[in-house]
Structures are given as structure tokens and as C-alpha cells.
Amino acid sequence: MVTHSGAGGGTDLTARITASLLEPIFEKSITIINKKGGGGALSLEYLDSRPADGYTILTYTSGQAAEVAKGSTKTTLKDLIPIARATDDPQILMVKCKRFENANQFIDKQKEEAFTYGTTHLGGIDDVSAFAFTAKGNLKTAEVIPFEGGNEISTQIVSGGVDVGVLNLGEAKVQIDAGQVCPIVVLADERMKALPHVATAKELGIPVSLSTVRGFVVKAGTPPDVVEKIEKAILDAMKKPEYHKFLDNLGLDETSIANKEVWGKQLEEADQEMRSSLKQLGFIKK
């Protein structure tokens, strides 16, 4: 099982718990291989170098999806077969608590002035989320300011360094629990169980749904019966209590888990959204 993150990162942990729960199902040990570099491009190249036999499973995330969309790697979605989704962590727009009365006021203010959006790095899911939300809402274009991580963004929200932070729920849990940072819009098709009072962008008339996702793929050309066997095994592994506890620790629930059809459709839709936004942001020249 291959991951593009370093040991201990969220993607690495997702791969490791899934692998540990898969081992008794397959009655085989599973080795985790960390292929860091190129925003995930090296992990894609490694998968491409392996036989299409199902013995190499890649943990695929929004980070690699951005590199594929930008053309930073020769791999395209056609070179991958979706297996199952492991986590679906919606992008959430967060603000300083009590700054806005509600989401409608938050949106209306941006029709008059551009807000600063704190994101992690540039050319990825975070700034695509900021751009897509403001563009499709006919709002003033977001001024994106990159930071190293979620903790720094949360601090900037509280101090007034940025107007909005693009974060996942787990990244700001401490500040949310302290009443300092408040989620105001979720970029998902449906409201999150953990945030039932927070409206989705679609409910507010802005058709944007983007998530930090992690799931599993194999190389195109893998025999269909092997694909089916791996999918069933992974879905069975993710039904176990240990996996649900893992999701709960991330502020997620069982709705994160999805079969290859749902996962594949989400990958295609996200690829289209990323390509469109990254082209307008200047990351794609053609």
C-alpha cells in the first residue's frame, strides 16, 4: 500500500489503519511504502511502474488529484481504477465567532468587498475552494494568503489576520470548542452530522462541493475480478469498530466510506472543478 505522505501524516495513518484491518481478511501482511515528493507525483509514478495485478494499492488524495489536474504528472484519471473512499472531509469556510450574524450576511458582505482567505499552500484544494466559492457565488474574488498549516490559519482567523479560513473540521477543533472559530459554510452536498446547524454552499445557492478526500486506487488494467475482491475486502475492513473510531477522532462518520462507483464519480467531478479553477488561477497554462 503506497502513500505520498510521510510517516505519521493523515494519509499515512489512513493507509496504516486500513492495511492493519485488511491483513486478517487477506491473511497476508501488507507493507506501507511512503513515496514522498512532487506533491504526490512520485507516488503516481511508482504505481505506474508496478504491474497491473492488484498487488499495489495507492492511497489517493486531493493532493495527488491537484497534480493530475495541473498536468504535473503523466498520470490521468484514466490510468487509475477507483476502489473505495476512506475519508470524505468537506472543505469548511470558518470565521471568527460572532463576526457575522449568519451565512447570508457573510455572503452579502463579499458582494461589496473582497475577503482574505487563509489556505495551506497554493495550487491545491484549499485555494480552489476559495476561488470556486467566490466565483460561483458572484462574489468579489477571494484574496488568498497561504500558510503552513491549519493551526496557523486558525490563529490568523482569531487575530483578524484573515477574514476566512479554508479548513477541515479536525484542523480547527480546539478553536471551535473554545468558541473562537466558527464554521459558517460547508462545501458539501449535504450537511455534516457533526455540524447540523451549518448550511452547505448549495443550500445558499452556490453550487460548490469540495472535500479533502482519501481513498484507494489501483493501476488501470487490473483484472475486474481482482478489483472486485479488493473493493469488498477494503469495505469490509472499514466496517470494523476500529475504523469507525478512527473516523470519529477526525470529526467524521461512516458517510465517509463509499464504494468504487461513488468514489469514482467524486474523483471525476473534483477533477473538472480543479481544472477549471486552476486554469483561471494561472496554475494551468493551456
Side-chain angles (χ1 to χ4, degrees):
M1 188 170 283
V2 184
T3 168
H4 75 291
S5 74
T11 302
D12 177 73
L13 293 174
T14 302
R16 288 182 187 279
I17 188 168
T18 305
S20 71
L21 297 174
L22 270 176
E23 287 181 339
I25 295 173
F26 282 143
E27 297 183 343
K28 298 286 184 182
S29 62
I30 298 174
T31 302
I32 303 296
I33 298 176
N34 299 92
K35 286 290 181 181
K36 295 175 61 178
L42 288 184
S43 66
L44 292 165
E45 291 174 9
Y46 180 78
L47 179 68
D48 184 61
S49 73
R50 306 298 296 167
D53 56 10
Y55 281 90
T56 304
I57 303 171
L58 176 67
T59 312
Y60 190 77
T61 74
S62 302
Q64 289 144 310
E67 297 306 313
V68 169
K70 287 185 286 189
S72 303
T73 169
K74 65 179 182 180
T75 300
T76 70
L77 282 184
K78 292 180 181 179
D79 299 312
L80 307 171
I81 298 176
I83 294 293
R85 187 179 69 201
T87 66
D88 186 22
D89 207 353
Q91 302 294 98
I92 305 172
L93 306 184
M94 301 196 192
V95 298
K96 187 175 182 178
C97 292
K98 300 181 180 179
R99 179 173 175 187
F100 302 97
E101 292 181 10
N102 51 46
N104 287 316
Q105 184 191 55
F106 168 72
I107 290 171
D108 289 341
K109 288 283 186 181
Q110 292 181 80
K111 293 177 181 177
E112 304 166 2
E113 60 178 299
F115 279 6
T116 52
Y117 279 65
T119 70
T120 52
H121 312 297
L122 292 173
I125 188 71
D126 288 355
D127 55 334
V128 165
S129 297
F131 178 80
F133 178 77
T134 53
K136 293 191 175 184
N138 294 316
L139 312 178
K140 297 290 185 180
T141 303
E143 179 185 344
V144 175
I145 302 175
F147 296 96
E148 286 299 316
N151 285 337
E152 189 176 359
I153 294 171
S154 297
T155 300
Q156 292 291 329
I157 294 171
V158 176
S159 68
V162 295
D163 299 305
V164 191
V166 183
L167 295 162
N168 299 122
L169 183 59
E171 291 180 305
K173 190 176 187 305
V174 173
Q175 291 84 357
I176 292 171
D177 290 345
Q180 298 174 317
V181 171
C182 286
I184 197 161
V185 179
V186 175
L187 306 187
D189 291 335
E190 298 179 3
R191 294 192 182 196
M192 294 179 68
K193 287 186 178 180
L195 299 172
H197 60 290
V198 181
T200 67
K202 289 186 175 182
E203 287 179 71
L204 298 164
I206 301 177
V208 178
S209 181
L210 289 164
S211 295
T212 300
V213 290
R214 299 183 182 101
F216 301 100
V217 301
V218 293
K219 186 176 179 179
T222 301
D225 61 320
V226 174
V227 171
E228 295 288 341
K229 183 177 181 180
I230 297 172
E231 180 194 25
K232 183 180 184 305
I234 289 180
L235 292 176
D236 285 346
M238 292 191 291
K239 290 175 183 176
K240 296 184 178 182
E242 298 93 327
Y243 192 79
H244 286 252
K245 183 178 180 181
F246 169 74
L247 290 175
D248 185 63
N249 289 336
L250 295 175
L252 304 176
D253 54 51
E254 70 279 358
T255 58
S256 274
I257 302 167
N259 62 23
K260 63 178 182 292
E261 283 76 21
V262 172
W263 173 226
K265 181 181 178 183
Q266 184 177 22
L267 289 181
E268 290 176 1
E269 291 175 350
D271 185 68
Q272 293 172 9
E273 185 73 73
M274 281 191 173
R275 286 180 188 276
S276 174
S277 295
L278 290 170
K279 183 174 288 187
Q280 293 179 71
L281 286 166
F283 288 98
I284 298 176
K285 302 302 181 184
K286 294 181 180 180

